[in-house]
Amino acid sequence: MHIPDGFSQITPYIFADDALAYMDHLVQALDGLELGRTLNDDGKLANGQVRIGSASIMVSEAGQGFPPSSLALYLYVENANTAFEKAITGDMTKIMDVADMPYGDRQGGVKDIAGNIWWISQRLSSAPYY
């Protein structure tokens, strides 16, 4: 089995209204890196890929048969406070302030322009998650 570099066996695939703007949003707000895009004849996004850290996300224009996605994503970062502030500056909406959690993570929550929730988390402990 071949899996492209930067992808895992399970890769989130998000359908969004104005998917091109959504990809730009991920790049700016979460320090994403656009890996590529393919457009339909109408100029809308057929398929795009954004890498955030070591993970990749696929994005496509929502439409008939493929409504906008509603996801919750857990994103590990080096510094939760810094990443959270960048996300807010990048037009994400705060849903929970950054705080230390009892399970060993420091995390805050934001909602992106497509309504998806991102838990921005920094692991504080080397212990197993549970």
Side-chain angles (χ1 to χ4, degrees), residues 51-122:
R51 180 176 294 156
I52 301 170
S54 62
S56 295
I57 294 175
M58 299 176 78
V59 178
S60 186
E61 186 70 34
Q64 186 175 1
F66 301 99
S69 303
S70 179
L71 302 173
L73 300 154
Y74 207 90
L75 174 63
Y76 276 110
V77 297
E78 287 292 321
N79 185 302
N81 293 78
T82 300
F84 183 84
E85 288 305 318
K86 179 155 180 75
I88 297 299
T89 302
D91 285 339
M92 291 194 166
T93 304
K94 177 177 71 170
I95 59 172
M96 186 181 89
D97 287 321
V98 175
D100 292 346
M101 299 294 142
Y103 41 84
D105 287 356
R106 180 164 179 75
Q107 90 182 36
V110 293
K111 190 176 282 191
D112 67 28
I113 62 170
N116 299 300
I117 294 170
W118 292 81
W119 298 110
I120 298 175
S121 301
Q122 173 185 348

Side-chain angles (χ1 to χ4, degrees), residues 4-23:
D5 288 342
F7 290 80
S8 60
Q9 194 164 359
I10 298 174
T11 300
Y13 200 120
I14 299 172
F15 291 94
D17 291 324
D18 196 357
L20 288 169
Y22 182 67
M23 278 185 55

Side-chain angles (χ1 to χ4, degrees), residues 36-48:
R37 64 172 68 184
T38 303
L39 302 179
N40 290 321
D41 291 338
D42 62 4
K44 294 187 177 185
L45 186 66
N47 182 281

